[in-house]
Amino acid sequence: MTAILQDLSPGKLKILKAVSNLLEDPENRITISRIAGKVSVTEAAIYRHYRSKDDIFQALMAYMEANLIAPLNYVQKEVETSHDRLQVVFQKYLDFLEGHPGLARLFLGHGTSEATGVTDKVQMLHAKVRGQILMILRRADAQGDLEKDVAPDAAAELFYGLIIGASMAQGFGLPQTEASERWAIFAKGIFKND
């Protein structure tokens, strides 16, 4: 469990889960009243935990960032090969997105107009994730692990496309190919000896 969740009281966690659930339906307009109804508390109870809807979304974004950046930091220290690093990141991302379809939608930009600054935070999160994926692939290229004609930038774009595709499938309940098949196709085209 991430540190961000460990720091949350049960009440705050219930509120974040409720907002994540509300984000699963694009028709939902997120209001304090709707959040309170989802949690079965009064609006005043919501305000005891968060000052505003903006604060709730800031906490959601911190949770998303912790779950999307942590695997990238972990693999840099704990996983030896670039192939294995990206495979671990891919699986961690799929697990997160599958467990949080509402946040998968938020990651795609749906619901970003619900609170101030969320659009910018989502864009920053994308930039951080993409930047770190590119670093992994540049390292793979420097070590001679990428196929001859594969540029790290192009490989990063393809990998990121896998993540965005998974977000869309989770956020919109679309059918998708097994994760292992998607990974195998990507790895075969990008890495030597796959």
Side-chain angles (χ1 to χ4, degrees), residues 122-154:
V122 168
Q123 288 173 346
M124 286 277 270
L125 180 56
H126 281 282
K128 286 179 184 179
V129 170
R130 288 175 75 143
Q132 287 197 28
I133 289 167
L134 181 56
M135 284 181 11
I136 291 170
L137 285 158
R138 283 184 178 156
R139 185 173 176 189
D141 188 45
Q143 294 172 335
D145 294 337
L146 297 184
E147 285 289 346
K148 179 182 163 195
D149 296 331
V150 175
D153 293 18

Side-chain angles (χ1 to χ4, degrees), residues 17-126:
K17 285 181 180 179
V19 173
S20 179
N21 290 339
L22 288 168
L23 284 167
E24 290 178 31
D25 182 352
E27 300 297 316
N28 281 336
R29 174 99 173 100
I30 311 298
T31 64
I32 296 297
S33 175
R34 187 164 275 151
I35 297 167
K38 187 84 172 160
V39 181
S40 300
V41 298
T42 65
E43 290 181 39
I46 301 293
Y47 286 117
R48 278 194 289 277
H49 294 288
Y50 293 101
R51 292 184 315 240
S52 66
K53 186 170 76 168
D54 286 354
D55 282 352
I56 294 169
F57 272 86
Q58 295 303 318
L60 269 180
M61 290 306 304
Y63 175 70
M64 281 179 59
E65 183 168 341
N67 279 278
L68 296 174
I69 298 297
L72 290 164
N73 293 333
Y74 165 79
V75 298
Q76 296 290 2
K77 297 175 189 170
E78 303 295 329
V79 182
E80 282 190 40
T81 69
S82 298
H83 173 282
D84 292 346
R85 283 185 189 114
L86 282 182
Q87 189 171 17
V88 167
V89 168
F90 180 69
Q91 191 57 56
K92 296 268 187 204
Y93 282 9
L94 292 187
D95 292 345
F96 177 73
L97 296 168
E98 183 177 305
H100 303 84
L103 296 184
R105 282 177 171 270
L106 188 58
F107 188 63
L108 293 169
H110 298 271
T112 56
S113 63
E114 292 288 345
T116 306
V118 176
T119 299
D120 292 340
K121 288 201 175 288
V122 168
Q123 288 173 346
M124 286 277 270
L125 180 56
H126 281 282

